[in-house]
Amino acid sequence: MKKLIYLTIVSVFTFSAFSVKAQLDMFDIDELANSITGTEKEEIDKTSDKITDNNAEENSDYISEYFDDVENAQKAQIGARQLLEQQPNVISLRDSQKRLIKEGEDKRKQLLQELKQIQEERQIEQITANSEITPEEKNEVITKKITEKYQSAPFGLFWGIDKEQTEQLGFVIRPAEREDYTNVYLVTNPKQNSDTFDIVTAIFGEQNKLWCIYAQSKPQKDTPQASDVIDLYNKYYKALGKKYGNAQQYFTPYTYTEEIQEGEEEPETVTRAGEIGNDNFLKQLQEGLAVLYATFENKELGITLGVSVDGDSQSYISIDYKNLQMMREEQQTKLNNLIGDI
């Protein structure tokens, strides 16, 4: 651009000077033209061509600079458009930050709950540490505090309490095992009035919170029809159905085939199914050829009542209680622990 301005100024001054000189020498211009030799004319033509080439080159440089400016402008536009297209990624990052803030808030609330629980436990310890308080009064204070905070569960237990609180309530705890379950203990409650169940298992899980209770009645000798265990099963079926509702019975009978022939006709194969309490029902239950159980459920608990026979042909019933909300928490904790390990 500077070159173009410079050439313009030079051309103006040159043209002006030439015009003045032309006016002064106009009278002899024809004579001058006639007096120029052929060689001189060639030199003048070459000089003119050189000037023309220089001008063309300068014009070419200017055009190149112009298109370079246009190209840079286009690149700037493309860059701006790409930046605008990246805006959703910035929003996504902000959403992620919001999730992290929410998770932090949830952890803070959980920490506050744990601190509150620790304070309550310390208060109980301070009360029960008094040498003047009797063991009965101590147990009463602990039971009252736990009753106020936790929901009651079967066999004198409370949903959500930990192993240590269970011992504070007076339960005797012994380690036990149950396949696919964590933190399993046999518990004995001296206050339990019923002697139907000789095995009560408390399952505290990954969170050390009582979420599952499994109880098993005393094995007993029975008739081939399993009449004794069926009577016990029916008794608890009615009681559980009345308390929890949504009773559903599931029975898988033992099936077999036999041939029936009438007269001279070809034998007919018939499939038959054994009924509950048939003459071989005890053995069928023992061998797993027949299965009998029932389920009950409300918004808080899911219960399974089953009938079984051990290897000594002794029959018994079992009841499996699960706190549904705490079961979901237990499953989520297991998943989180698994993810943390990989």
Side-chain angles (χ1 to χ4, degrees):
M1 191 67 182
K2 291 180 179 179
K3 292 180 179 179
L4 180 60
I5 295 171
Y6 175 79
L7 288 173
T8 303
I9 295 172
V10 172
S11 297
V12 170
F13 279 102
T14 303
F15 180 77
S16 300
F18 181 76
S19 297
V20 173
K21 182 173 177 57
Q23 290 177 359
L24 294 174
D25 298 339
M26 188 177 296
F27 68 95
D28 63 348
I29 192 167
D30 290 337
E31 183 179 354
L32 180 63
N34 291 330
S35 66
I36 295 176
T37 64
T39 303
E40 291 172 341
K41 187 176 182 179
E42 289 179 2
E43 291 178 356
I44 291 172
D45 291 340
K46 288 180 180 179
T47 303
S48 177
D49 291 341
K50 185 175 181 181
I51 293 172
T52 303
D53 291 341
N54 289 337
N55 291 337
E57 182 178 356
E58 290 174 355
N59 290 336
S60 176
D61 292 341
Y62 168 73
I63 293 171
S64 298
E65 291 177 359
Y66 170 76
F67 281 107
D68 287 341
D69 292 338
V70 172
E71 183 178 358
N72 291 333
Q74 291 176 344
K75 289 181 179 179
Q77 291 177 349
I78 293 172
R81 183 165 59 251
Q82 290 176 346
L83 183 61
L84 289 174
E85 291 174 353
Q86 291 177 355
Q87 187 173 358
N89 294 333
V90 176
I91 294 174
S92 176
L93 179 60
R94 290 174 180 172
D95 290 340
S96 176
Q97 290 174 339
K98 289 180 181 179
R99 287 194 297 271
L100 290 174
I101 292 172
K102 185 179 182 303
E103 291 175 0
E105 183 66 19
D106 293 340
K107 290 181 180 179
R108 188 182 70 86
K109 290 180 180 179
Q110 182 180 357
L111 180 60
L112 289 175
Q113 291 178 352
E114 292 176 355
L115 290 174
K116 184 178 179 182
Q117 180 177 346
I118 292 172
Q119 291 174 352
E120 291 176 352
E121 290 174 355
R122 287 179 178 175
Q123 290 175 358
I124 294 174
E125 289 176 358
Q126 290 176 357
I127 294 172
T128 56
N130 189 346
S131 58
E132 296 180 357
I133 193 172
T134 64
E136 291 77 13
E137 292 173 335
K138 177 180 178 180
N139 185 268
E140 184 178 348
V141 170
I142 295 173
T143 303
K144 182 181 178 182
K145 289 290 184 181
I146 291 177
T147 302
E148 292 173 354
K149 184 176 180 180
Y150 298 95
Q151 180 184 2
S152 61
F155 307 104
L157 294 165
F158 292 86
W159 296 116
I161 63 174
D162 57 32
K163 181 175 69 70
E164 291 71 24
Q165 290 172 313
T166 305
E167 290 177 311
Q168 290 176 351
L169 287 172
F171 287 89
V172 178
I173 294 180
R174 291 176 294 163
E177 292 183 2
R178 188 178 180 187
E179 188 175 359
D180 299 328
Y181 288 82
T182 306
N183 219 352
V184 183
Y185 293 89
L186 290 172
V187 297
T188 304
N189 184 0
K191 298 179 182 179
Q192 185 66 37
N193 296 325
S194 176
D195 60 351
T196 302
F197 299 91
D198 67 337
I199 294 178
V200 176
T201 304
I203 301 172
F204 298 93
E206 300 281 346
Q207 303 180 91
N208 191 21
K209 294 181 180 179
L210 181 64
W211 70 275
C212 179
I213 301 172
Y214 174 82
Q216 183 176 302
S217 67
K218 296 178 180 179
Q220 57 184 357
K221 292 293 184 180
D222 210 334
T223 65
Q225 295 80 16
S227 55
D228 293 337
V229 75
I230 292 175
D231 290 341
L232 188 60
Y233 165 84
N234 288 333
K235 173 184 175 181
Y236 277 89
Y237 180 89
K238 293 178 182 178
L240 292 169
K242 184 177 180 179
K243 184 173 183 178
Y244 299 104
N246 296 317
Q248 296 288 333
Q249 178 171 280
Y250 300 90
F251 172 55
T252 303
Y254 167 66
T255 58
Y256 58 96
T257 59
E258 64 178 8
E259 292 185 351
I260 299 177
Q261 185 173 8
E262 295 182 0
E264 296 180 355
E265 295 180 0
E266 289 291 330
E268 181 182 359
T269 302
V270 178
T271 300
R272 299 190 182 278
E275 299 179 352
I276 296 176
N278 67 74
D279 291 340
N280 295 312
F281 193 55
L282 186 70
K283 187 173 183 60
Q284 292 166 6
L285 289 171
Q286 183 184 31
E287 295 178 355
L289 301 174
V291 178
L292 175 63
Y293 69 96
T295 61
F296 313 85
E297 184 175 350
N298 58 21
K299 293 182 179 180
E300 299 174 349
L301 302 178
I303 303 101
T304 302
L305 169 66
V307 177
S308 303
V309 179
D310 63 18
D312 297 327
S313 298
Q314 296 185 104
S315 61
Y316 60 91
I317 65 169
S318 61
I319 307 179
D320 187 80
Y321 300 87
K322 287 183 173 64
N323 185 295
L324 300 178
Q325 176 62 33
M326 301 194 70
M327 179 179 70
R328 288 188 287 268
E329 293 176 3
E330 173 71 10
Q331 292 171 346
Q332 185 62 46
T333 302
K334 280 187 174 182
L335 178 61
N336 293 340
N337 292 341
L338 178 61
I339 293 174
D341 291 338
I342 59 176

